[in-house]
Amino acid sequence: MLLFPNAKINLGLHITAKRPDGYHDIETVFYPVPLCDALEAVKSETLSFSLSGLPLDATADDNLVMKAYRLMAARYDVEPLEIYLRKTIPSGAGLGGGSADAAFMLKLINELCSCGLSEMELETIAAEIGADCPFFIRNKPVVATGRGDVFEPVALSLKGYYLYIIKPPFTVSTREAYASVKPCKPSFSLASLTDIHIGEWRHCLVNDFEPSVFAKYPAIGEIKEQLYALGAEYAAMSGSGSSVFGVFKNTISSEIVFKHESTKFCIEIKS
């Protein structure tokens, strides 16, 4: 069975409060985008995991795909699987690639091994893996609050736009990014995003991580500035970085070299 776990971007990101459990409450819009890994699994006599494509720092046992497998195997009658993952989504980029892989692994096992779980039940298991992991179960635009695991569907579509994602040759520590942000109540509610034309987003949407991250990694801010200079309707860092995306009405030349670029993706949003 073959699935294609996709990335997400954050349209606005507010850090609203520090929680008693040490985590933070946030408000953001998760939007799925068709930049995909490939995840395949077949039933086997022994469990195995193979990785190709972009390299990862984690060992096979630490990969979130394997964590997803172990959570399902501990609860249900799940056969050993030969699992193959090809990475295209950069890690440490704020694109949710690892969480997507894990969520799609849960969905794959649920179907391949006939577990019969509902989407809500899969979301409950996904929440044990990571705060944004449950988003990829239904994989539709949502306003996310709480730790990023409380979802409200939002009727938002970027269909017909072009998305450019630029990943510089370094990552940003999520832990350090949170440590440098002072929570505050946002002046604009992301639930109102659909009432505003995309051309106005740059004036009301903020990513609270950007000021401190840009101060430490000026190259990320320079990429955002370049995207706007090239005509982006909206540009922002995704999550805590390090990737930056720009939303364009039309495609731009593939020959453009972005500052500090290590990876570049051009994606047409078709649905």
Side-chain angles (χ1 to χ4, degrees):
M1 184 175 178
L2 177 63
L3 297 179
F4 296 95
N6 58 273
K8 60 81 181 166
I9 54 173
N10 295 79
L11 301 175
L13 204 169
H14 304 145
I15 313 300
T16 59
K18 181 73 176 290
R19 298 162 55 100
D21 60 9
Y23 292 96
H24 290 77
D25 283 327
I26 71 169
E27 182 190 35
T28 189
V29 172
F30 288 142
Y31 193 92
V33 296
L35 170 62
C36 300
D37 292 337
L39 177 66
E40 184 176 17
V42 295
K43 294 180 180 180
S44 176
E45 294 184 358
T46 58
L47 175 64
S48 64
F49 176 76
S50 299
L51 177 70
S52 62
L54 295 176
L56 296 175
D57 292 335
T59 65
D61 282 343
D62 292 332
N63 191 281
L64 294 183
V65 166
M66 292 304 294
K67 183 172 183 179
Y69 175 88
R70 289 192 293 268
L71 285 173
M72 291 290 281
R75 291 168 165 81
Y76 307 103
D77 184 18
V78 175
E79 296 98 324
L81 301 175
E82 288 184 20
I83 304 167
Y84 305 89
L85 175 65
R86 180 167 182 80
K87 287 297 297 179
T88 299
I89 305 170
S91 60
L95 298 172
S99 294
D101 295 337
F104 274 70
M105 189 68 205
L106 295 177
K107 293 192 283 188
L108 186 153
I109 293 172
N110 188 45
E111 184 170 343
L112 186 62
C113 299
S114 302
C115 297
L117 302 181
S118 67
E119 289 181 327
M120 185 175 296
E121 290 170 319
L122 288 171
E123 287 173 343
T124 299
I125 299 173
E128 299 183 37
I129 300 172
D132 61 349
C133 195
F135 160 72
F136 292 100
I137 298 297
R138 300 179 197 255
N139 211 24
K140 297 179 180 179
V142 295
V143 177
T145 55
R147 290 175 51 201
D149 56 357
V150 179
F151 306 134
E152 183 67 31
V154 58
L156 179 65
S157 175
L158 295 176
K159 182 179 180 180
Y161 285 93
Y162 292 86
L163 183 70
Y164 284 79
I165 299 175
I166 313 301
K167 167 68 169 64
F170 52 82
T171 61
V172 175
S173 165
T174 301
R175 183 183 296 274
E176 290 181 8
Y178 271 107
S180 301
V181 172
K182 183 178 180 180
C184 63
K185 184 177 180 179
S187 59
F188 174 77
S189 172
L190 292 173
S192 304
L193 185 60
T194 55
D195 299 331
I196 301 171
H197 186 271
I198 186 172
E200 299 299 316
W201 286 3
R202 65 189 298 179
H203 304 301
C204 56
L205 292 190
V206 297
N207 179 337
D208 284 346
F209 286 120
E210 286 188 354
S212 58
V213 170
F214 289 1
K216 187 171 183 179
Y217 303 95
I220 302 178
E222 291 171 7
I223 293 171
K224 178 179 176 179
E225 291 175 2
Q226 187 177 5
L227 286 165
Y228 272 131
L230 290 167
E233 293 287 301
Y234 174 67
M237 185 174 73
S238 189
S240 58
S242 60
S243 69
V244 183
F245 65 89
V247 183
F248 290 79
K249 285 183 178 179
N250 301 298
T251 185
I252 60 178
S253 173
S254 61
E255 297 180 1
I256 292 174
V257 177
F258 287 87
K259 298 176 182 178
H260 317 288
E261 168 196 331
S262 65
T263 310
K264 175 175 62 180
F265 302 96
C266 173
I267 304 160
E268 182 180 1
I269 307 297
K270 296 183 178 180
S271 61

